[in-house]
Each structure stands twice: as C-alpha cells, then as structure tokens.
Amino acid sequence: MSETPPESPDFDAMARDIAEVPAVEVIVTVAVNLMSAAAVKLGLTEEGDTHKDLDEARKLVHALAGLLDASTTEISSFHAAPLRDGLKSLQLAFREASLVPDEPGKGPGEKYTGPVYG
C-alpha cells in the first residue's frame, strides 16, 4: 500500500493572498503574534510556568518594541494605542518575573520606549 504524498503548498496562490492584505494588517498581525508568544514565555497563559523562559521573552518583547517603534508613522493610533498598551503590560510583567530586575531603561524594548514604570 503506497501513501500519497502530501499536497505541496501553492506558493503562487499564497503570494496572491498576501498581496491583497494591507500592510497595516500584516504589521498588526505580526505584533499580536509577538505579544502572544511573549505572554507564553512570561508564563502568563493558563499553562502558567510550563513554557516560561525569560530569555526568550526578552527577545520577543524587544522585537515587538522595535516593530512598534519602526511602524509608528505607518499605522494609525487606532491600531497603535492598544499595541503600545500591550507592550507596556508585557514589559511590566517581565520586570515582575525577573529575579534581578533590569535598571529602568535597560529592560526589554526600553531602548525604543524609554523606561517603563508600574
């Protein structure tokens, strides 16, 4: 009995689909994915500390801050405001989760946002 190979992805169709998505939607989707991944790595999900990894969380929060900083003029405040609020929440959660908190201005993403205080 031979198995049929899985269908290969239709990259032309995927490229056409991506071409139809506005840049703002792509930026927001990437930001939300970074936020979700950071929350998991910070242990903020139902699984709690199961996937907690502060080194990974630091990278994700820093990348999110960089993306939001770079796209400030490209996305409206309607989209940017909740993303900035989410970023600040993640930065504060990181600070709380750290055994030795970073100095103000030295935490993940604070290079882009400035110091984050509770």
Side-chain angles (χ1 to χ4, degrees):
M1 181 194 274
S2 67
E3 291 184 31
T4 57
E7 268 187 53
S8 61
D10 182 355
F11 292 111
D12 290 337
M14 283 195 260
R16 280 191 302 275
D17 290 345
I18 291 274
E20 295 173 10
V21 178
V24 170
E25 192 172 325
V26 173
I27 293 167
V28 170
T29 299
V30 170
V32 169
N33 285 326
L34 287 168
M35 291 173 109
S36 298
V40 169
K41 296 297 184 179
L42 284 167
L44 301 176
T45 61
E46 289 180 9
E47 293 87 22
D49 290 348
T50 305
H51 303 290
K52 189 173 183 176
D53 184 333
L54 293 183
D55 183 52
E56 291 290 302
R58 177 184 294 278
K59 293 171 187 170
L60 293 162
V61 172
H62 190 76
L64 174 62
L67 174 64
L68 295 181
D69 183 58
S71 61
T72 297
T73 60
E74 306 303 324
I75 61 177
S76 67
S77 59
F78 173 79
H79 295 292
L83 294 174
R84 282 193 303 267
D85 290 345
L87 170 60
K88 183 176 180 180
S89 294
L90 290 169
Q91 289 171 311
L92 290 171
F94 184 91
R95 186 171 297 283
E96 286 179 19
S98 297
L99 294 176
V100 180
D102 297 311
E103 292 181 35
K106 301 293 184 188
E110 291 182 14
K111 166 183 174 180
Y112 300 107
T113 63
V116 175
Y117 301 102

